[in-house]
Amino acid sequence: MKSIQDFIELQLCFDGVGREVEVLDVIQLDDDIYRIEENPVFTENVAFGDVIRVKPSNDVSLYIETIEKSRYTRHNWLLSKEVIYSVELKILKNKIRNWQGKSQQVFGGIFIVNLPADTEVDINNEVQKVIETVQK
């Protein structure tokens, strides 16, 4: 996994004219090729781990195509404040790292997990166990 200093912020546009822009952490692989290093929130055109081609235009980069799809599968939950700040979820986040995955929390309660597509972990069951434990 790359260190945080290897990431750059890319203003990525999906509508072709610069109106729908999302700023994402990426790693530049070539002049116009990047790997997405976080989960986009406002688009499903790209995902964490995708390798994409862009075209620079003024202050944004226009999305052209996905060259290589991510080897990760994305899972999302809207969790309560109690679950988000629980010790149990912190423990699960550590397990996710050990399973070679990545977790991310956005907008307070949206919990996003990316796990390798070939994982045998039942992440839905794992999150459900955390919810049930916290709600006891």
Side-chain angles (χ1 to χ4, degrees):
M1 181 173 280
K2 296 282 186 169
S3 66
I4 193 80
Q5 50 270 53
D6 292 333
F7 298 156
I8 59 173
E9 288 187 342
L10 183 68
Q11 294 188 36
L12 193 53
C13 171
F14 295 98
D15 68 0
V17 293
R19 288 186 301 240
E20 296 176 20
V21 175
E22 186 160 0
V23 179
L24 297 173
D25 286 342
V26 299
I27 292 177
Q28 188 167 13
L29 303 176
D30 205 344
D31 287 339
D32 61 348
I33 298 176
Y34 298 87
R35 185 176 60 235
I36 306 296
E37 293 296 322
E38 68 176 322
N39 291 290
V41 178
F42 300 114
T43 184
E44 293 189 15
N45 290 348
V46 297
F48 168 75
D50 283 357
V51 175
I52 64 169
R53 181 182 317 279
V54 300
K55 177 182 174 188
S57 177
N58 298 324
D59 292 335
V60 301
S61 294
L62 305 176
Y63 169 80
I64 302 298
E65 65 179 328
T66 299
I67 297 171
E68 182 181 321
K69 287 301 291 172
S70 175
R71 64 177 192 91
Y72 294 88
T73 303
R74 179 177 170 163
H75 308 268
N76 306 294
W77 297 268
L78 179 58
L79 300 176
S80 70
K81 183 177 178 181
E82 292 76 25
V83 173
I84 285 292
Y85 294 108
S86 70
V87 170
E88 292 82 359
L89 189 63
K90 288 179 185 170
I91 292 169
L92 179 58
K93 288 177 182 179
N94 287 331
K95 288 181 181 179
I96 290 166
R97 273 193 295 281
N98 291 339
W99 297 327
Q100 307 307 307
K102 177 181 168 113
S103 65
Q104 183 178 345
Q105 181 183 327
V106 295
F107 299 129
I110 298 175
F111 183 57
I112 303 170
V113 173
N114 296 92
L115 288 174
D118 61 354
T119 188
E120 294 182 16
V121 174
D122 183 348
I123 191 63
N124 290 308
N125 185 50
E126 295 292 327
V127 171
Q128 191 59 42
K129 285 194 280 189
V130 168
I131 293 168
E132 289 171 2
T133 301
V134 171
Q135 291 178 344
K136 285 184 180 179

mmCIF file with all atom_site columns, all heavy atoms in Angstrom, residues 106-120:
data_model
loop_
_atom_site.group_PDB
_atom_site.id
_atom_site.type_symbol
_atom_site.label_atom_id
_atom_site.label_alt_id
_atom_site.label_comp_id
_atom_site.label_asym_id
_atom_site.label_entity_id
_atom_site.label_seq_id
_atom_site.pdbx_PDB_ins_code
_atom_site.Cartn_x
_atom_site.Cartn_y
_atom_site.Cartn_z
_atom_site.occupancy
_atom_site.B_iso_or_equiv
_atom_site.pdbx_formal_charge
_atom_site.auth_seq_id
_atom_site.auth_comp_id
_atom_site.auth_asym_id
_atom_site.auth_atom_id
_atom_site.pdbx_PDB_model_num
ATOM 1   N N   . VAL A 1 106 ? -17.659 8.236   5.582  1.00 0.00 ? 106 VAL A N   1
ATOM 2   C CA  . VAL A 1 106 ? -17.952 9.532   4.979  1.00 0.00 ? 106 VAL A CA  1
ATOM 3   C C   . VAL A 1 106 ? -19.279 10.056  5.496  1.00 0.00 ? 106 VAL A C   1
ATOM 4   O O   . VAL A 1 106 ? -20.165 9.284   5.866  1.00 0.00 ? 106 VAL A O   1
ATOM 5   C CB  . VAL A 1 106 ? -17.959 9.465   3.435  1.00 0.00 ? 106 VAL A CB  1
ATOM 6   C CG1 . VAL A 1 106 ? -16.577 9.141   2.898  1.00 0.00 ? 106 VAL A CG1 1
ATOM 7   C CG2 . VAL A 1 106 ? -18.960 8.471   2.913  1.00 0.00 ? 106 VAL A CG2 1
ATOM 8   N N   . PHE A 1 107 ? -19.404 11.365  5.490  1.00 0.00 ? 107 PHE A N   1
ATOM 9   C CA  . PHE A 1 107 ? -20.630 12.045  5.926  1.00 0.00 ? 107 PHE A CA  1
ATOM 10  C C   . PHE A 1 107 ? -21.109 11.553  7.284  1.00 0.00 ? 107 PHE A C   1
ATOM 11  O O   . PHE A 1 107 ? -22.302 11.405  7.526  1.00 0.00 ? 107 PHE A O   1
ATOM 12  C CB  . PHE A 1 107 ? -21.752 11.907  4.896  1.00 0.00 ? 107 PHE A CB  1
ATOM 13  C CG  . PHE A 1 107 ? -21.425 12.496  3.559  1.00 0.00 ? 107 PHE A CG  1
ATOM 14  C CD1 . PHE A 1 107 ? -21.593 11.751  2.412  1.00 0.00 ? 107 PHE A CD1 1
ATOM 15  C CD2 . PHE A 1 107 ? -20.941 13.785  3.442  1.00 0.00 ? 107 PHE A CD2 1
ATOM 16  C CE1 . PHE A 1 107 ? -21.295 12.286  1.167  1.00 0.00 ? 107 PHE A CE1 1
ATOM 17  C CE2 . PHE A 1 107 ? -20.635 14.325  2.214  1.00 0.00 ? 107 PHE A CE2 1
ATOM 18  C CZ  . PHE A 1 107 ? -20.814 13.575  1.074  1.00 0.00 ? 107 PHE A CZ  1
ATOM 19  N N   . GLY A 1 108 ? -20.177 11.254  8.162  1.00 0.00 ? 108 GLY A N   1
ATOM 20  C CA  . GLY A 1 108 ? -20.536 10.855  9.520  1.00 0.00 ? 108 GLY A CA  1
ATOM 21  C C   . GLY A 1 108 ? -20.898 9.396   9.652  1.00 0.00 ? 108 GLY A C   1
ATOM 22  O O   . GLY A 1 108 ? -20.228 8.657   10.350 1.00 0.00 ? 108 GLY A O   1
ATOM 23  N N   . GLY A 1 109 ? -21.953 8.939   8.996  1.00 0.00 ? 109 GLY A N   1
ATOM 24  C CA  . GLY A 1 109 ? -22.456 7.598   9.246  1.00 0.00 ? 109 GLY A CA  1
ATOM 25  C C   . GLY A 1 109 ? -22.390 6.614   8.100  1.00 0.00 ? 109 GLY A C   1
ATOM 26  O O   . GLY A 1 109 ? -22.846 5.484   8.234  1.00 0.00 ? 109 GLY A O   1
ATOM 27  N N   . ILE A 1 110 ? -21.838 7.013   6.962  1.00 0.00 ? 110 ILE A N   1
ATOM 28  C CA  . ILE A 1 110 ? -21.733 6.065   5.851  1.00 0.00 ? 110 ILE A CA  1
ATOM 29  C C   . ILE A 1 110 ? -20.400 5.329   5.988  1.00 0.00 ? 110 ILE A C   1
ATOM 30  O O   . ILE A 1 110 ? -19.338 5.938   6.008  1.00 0.00 ? 110 ILE A O   1
ATOM 31  C CB  . ILE A 1 110 ? -21.828 6.770   4.490  1.00 0.00 ? 110 ILE A CB  1
ATOM 32  C CG1 . ILE A 1 110 ? -23.184 7.454   4.346  1.00 0.00 ? 110 ILE A CG1 1
ATOM 33  C CG2 . ILE A 1 110 ? -21.615 5.751   3.365  1.00 0.00 ? 110 ILE A CG2 1
ATOM 34  C CD1 . ILE A 1 110 ? -23.326 8.287   3.085  1.00 0.00 ? 110 ILE A CD1 1
ATOM 35  N N   . PHE A 1 111 ? -20.508 4.020   6.114  1.00 0.00 ? 111 PHE A N   1
ATOM 36  C CA  . PHE A 1 111 ? -19.335 3.161   6.287  1.00 0.00 ? 111 PHE A CA  1
ATOM 37  C C   . PHE A 1 111 ? -19.152 2.368   5.001  1.00 0.00 ? 111 PHE A C   1
ATOM 38  O O   . PHE A 1 111 ? -20.054 1.666   4.560  1.00 0.00 ? 111 PHE A O   1
ATOM 39  C CB  . PHE A 1 111 ? -19.543 2.234   7.484  1.00 0.00 ? 111 PHE A CB  1
ATOM 40  C CG  . PHE A 1 111 ? -18.378 1.356   7.809  1.00 0.00 ? 111 PHE A CG  1
ATOM 41  C CD1 . PHE A 1 111 ? -17.129 1.895   8.081  1.00 0.00 ? 111 PHE A CD1 1
ATOM 42  C CD2 . PHE A 1 111 ? -18.534 -0.015  7.873  1.00 0.00 ? 111 PHE A CD2 1
ATOM 43  C CE1 . PHE A 1 111 ? -16.049 1.081   8.398  1.00 0.00 ? 111 PHE A CE1 1
ATOM 44  C CE2 . PHE A 1 111 ? -17.463 -0.844  8.195  1.00 0.00 ? 111 PHE A CE2 1
ATOM 45  C CZ  . PHE A 1 111 ? -16.227 -0.293  8.461  1.00 0.00 ? 111 PHE A CZ  1
ATOM 46  N N   . ILE A 1 112 ? -17.990 2.523   4.380  1.00 0.00 ? 112 ILE A N   1
ATOM 47  C CA  . ILE A 1 112 ? -17.690 1.866   3.099  1.00 0.00 ? 112 ILE A CA  1
ATOM 48  C C   . ILE A 1 112 ? -16.512 0.920   3.310  1.00 0.00 ? 112 ILE A C   1
ATOM 49  O O   . ILE A 1 112 ? -15.509 1.293   3.918  1.00 0.00 ? 112 ILE A O   1
ATOM 50  C CB  . ILE A 1 112 ? -17.336 2.901   2.018  1.00 0.00 ? 112 ILE A CB  1
ATOM 51  C CG1 . ILE A 1 112 ? -18.467 3.919   1.853  1.00 0.00 ? 112 ILE A CG1 1
ATOM 52  C CG2 . ILE A 1 112 ? -17.037 2.210   0.692  1.00 0.00 ? 112 ILE A CG2 1
ATOM 53  C CD1 . ILE A 1 112 ? -18.108 5.109   0.985  1.00 0.00 ? 112 ILE A CD1 1
ATOM 54  N N   . VAL A 1 113 ? -16.666 -0.287  2.798  1.00 0.00 ? 113 VAL A N   1
ATOM 55  C CA  . VAL A 1 113 ? -15.603 -1.287  2.898  1.00 0.00 ? 113 VAL A CA  1
ATOM 56  C C   . VAL A 1 113 ? -15.301 -1.815  1.502  1.00 0.00 ? 113 VAL A C   1
ATOM 57  O O   . VAL A 1 113 ? -16.211 -2.139  0.741  1.00 0.00 ? 113 VAL A O   1
ATOM 58  C CB  . VAL A 1 113 ? -16.019 -2.457  3.817  1.00 0.00 ? 113 VAL A CB  1
ATOM 59  C CG1 . VAL A 1 113 ? -14.978 -3.568  3.789  1.00 0.00 ? 113 VAL A CG1 1
ATOM 60  C CG2 . VAL A 1 113 ? -16.248 -1.973  5.238  1.00 0.00 ? 113 VAL A CG2 1
ATOM 61  N N   . ASN A 1 114 ? -14.022 -1.891  1.191  1.00 0.00 ? 114 ASN A N   1
ATOM 62  C CA  . ASN A 1 114 ? -13.557 -2.528  -0.043 1.00 0.00 ? 114 ASN A CA  1
ATOM 63  C C   . ASN A 1 114 ? -12.724 -3.733  0.360  1.00 0.00 ? 114 ASN A C   1
ATOM 64  O O   . ASN A 1 114 ? -11.755 -3.598  1.104  1.00 0.00 ? 114 ASN A O   1
ATOM 65  C CB  . ASN A 1 114 ? -12.692 -1.575  -0.867 1.00 0.00 ? 114 ASN A CB  1
ATOM 66  C CG  . ASN A 1 114 ? -13.474 -0.377  -1.341 1.00 0.00 ? 114 ASN A CG  1
ATOM 67  O OD1 . ASN A 1 114 ? -13.498 0.641   -0.667 1.00 0.00 ? 114 ASN A OD1 1
ATOM 68  N ND2 . ASN A 1 114 ? -14.104 -0.504  -2.474 1.00 0.00 ? 114 ASN A ND2 1
ATOM 69  N N   . LEU A 1 115 ? -13.127 -4.898  -0.127 1.00 0.00 ? 115 LEU A N   1
ATOM 70  C CA  . LEU A 1 115 ? -12.381 -6.124  0.128  1.00 0.00 ? 115 LEU A CA  1
ATOM 71  C C   . LEU A 1 115 ? -12.000 -6.753  -1.198 1.00 0.00 ? 115 LEU A C   1
ATOM 72  O O   . LEU A 1 115 ? -12.726 -6.600  -2.192 1.00 0.00 ? 115 LEU A O   1
ATOM 73  C CB  . LEU A 1 115 ? -13.237 -7.120  0.922  1.00 0.00 ? 115 LEU A CB  1
ATOM 74  C CG  . LEU A 1 115 ? -13.484 -6.782  2.387  1.00 0.00 ? 115 LEU A CG  1
ATOM 75  C CD1 . LEU A 1 115 ? -14.469 -7.768  3.000  1.00 0.00 ? 115 LEU A CD1 1
ATOM 76  C CD2 . LEU A 1 115 ? -12.170 -6.805  3.168  1.00 0.00 ? 115 LEU A CD2 1
ATOM 77  N N   . PRO A 1 116 ? -10.879 -7.484  -1.227 1.00 0.00 ? 116 PRO A N   1
ATOM 78  C CA  . PRO A 1 116 ? -10.536 -8.180  -2.467 1.00 0.00 ? 116 PRO A CA  1
ATOM 79  C C   . PRO A 1 116 ? -11.715 -9.031  -2.939 1.00 0.00 ? 116 PRO A C   1
ATOM 80  O O   . PRO A 1 116 ? -12.403 -9.663  -2.129 1.00 0.00 ? 116 PRO A O   1
ATOM 81  C CB  . PRO A 1 116 ? -9.343  -9.052  -2.059 1.00 0.00 ? 116 PRO A CB  1
ATOM 82  C CG  . PRO A 1 116 ? -8.735  -8.322  -0.900 1.00 0.00 ? 116 PRO A CG  1
ATOM 83  C CD  . PRO A 1 116 ? -9.899  -7.713  -0.169 1.00 0.00 ? 116 PRO A CD  1
ATOM 84  N N   . ALA A 1 117 ? -11.941 -9.022  -4.231 1.00 0.00 ? 117 ALA A N   1
ATOM 85  C CA  . ALA A 1 117 ? -13.102 -9.716  -4.800 1.00 0.00 ? 117 ALA A CA  1
ATOM 86  C C   . ALA A 1 117 ? -13.110 -11.200 -4.473 1.00 0.00 ? 117 ALA A C   1
ATOM 87  O O   . ALA A 1 117 ? -14.177 -11.802 -4.358 1.00 0.00 ? 117 ALA A O   1
ATOM 88  C CB  . ALA A 1 117 ? -13.147 -9.504  -6.308 1.00 0.00 ? 117 ALA A CB  1
ATOM 89  N N   . ASP A 1 118 ? -11.934 -11.790 -4.264 1.00 0.00 ? 118 ASP A N   1
ATOM 90  C CA  . ASP A 1 118 ? -11.875 -13.229 -3.997 1.00 0.00 ? 118 ASP A CA  1
ATOM 91  C C   . ASP A 1 118 ? -11.871 -13.572 -2.506 1.00 0.00 ? 118 ASP A C   1
ATOM 92  O O   . ASP A 1 118 ? -11.631 -14.719 -2.141 1.00 0.00 ? 118 ASP A O   1
ATOM 93  C CB  . ASP A 1 118 ? -10.650 -13.834 -4.676 1.00 0.00 ? 118 ASP A CB  1
ATOM 94  C CG  . ASP A 1 118 ? -9.350  -13.237 -4.165 1.00 0.00 ? 118 ASP A CG  1
ATOM 95  O OD1 . ASP A 1 118 ? -9.379  -12.270 -3.367 1.00 0.00 ? 118 ASP A OD1 1
ATOM 96  O OD2 . ASP A 1 118 ? -8.279  -13.723 -4.571 1.00 0.00 ? 118 ASP A OD2 1
ATOM 97  N N   . THR A 1 119 ? -12.190 -12.625 -1.650 1.00 0.00 ? 119 THR A N   1
ATOM 98  C CA  . THR A 1 119 ? -12.166 -12.876 -0.211 1.00 0.00 ? 119 THR A CA  1
ATOM 99  C C   . THR A 1 119 ? -13.282 -13.845 0.191  1.00 0.00 ? 119 THR A C   1
ATOM 100 O O   . THR A 1 119 ? -14.344 -13.880 -0.432 1.00 0.00 ? 119 THR A O   1
ATOM 101 C CB  . THR A 1 119 ? -12.294 -11.568 0.595  1.00 0.00 ? 119 THR A CB  1
ATOM 102 O OG1 . THR A 1 119 ? -12.073 -11.864 1.973  1.00 0.00 ? 119 THR A OG1 1
ATOM 103 C CG2 . THR A 1 119 ? -13.680 -10.957 0.465  1.00 0.00 ? 119 THR A CG2 1
ATOM 104 N N   . GLU A 1 120 ? -13.008 -14.593 1.224  1.00 0.00 ? 120 GLU A N   1
ATOM 105 C CA  . GLU A 1 120 ? -14.020 -15.503 1.761  1.00 0.00 ? 120 GLU A CA  1
ATOM 106 C C   . GLU A 1 120 ? -14.721 -14.903 2.968  1.00 0.00 ? 120 GLU A C   1
ATOM 107 O O   . GLU A 1 120 ? -15.590 -15.537 3.559  1.00 0.00 ? 120 GLU A O   1
ATOM 108 C CB  . GLU A 1 120 ? -13.374 -16.843 2.107  1.00 0.00 ? 120 GLU A CB  1
ATOM 109 C CG  . GLU A 1 120 ? -12.864 -17.563 0.867  1.00 0.00 ? 120 GLU A CG  1
ATOM 110 C CD  . GLU A 1 120 ? -12.266 -18.916 1.184  1.00 0.00 ? 120 GLU A CD  1
ATOM 111 O OE1 . GLU A 1 120 ? -12.501 -19.449 2.291  1.00 0.00 ? 120 GLU A OE1 1
ATOM 112 O OE2 . GLU A 1 120 ? -11.571 -19.450 0.312  1.00 0.00 ? 120 GLU A OE2 1
#
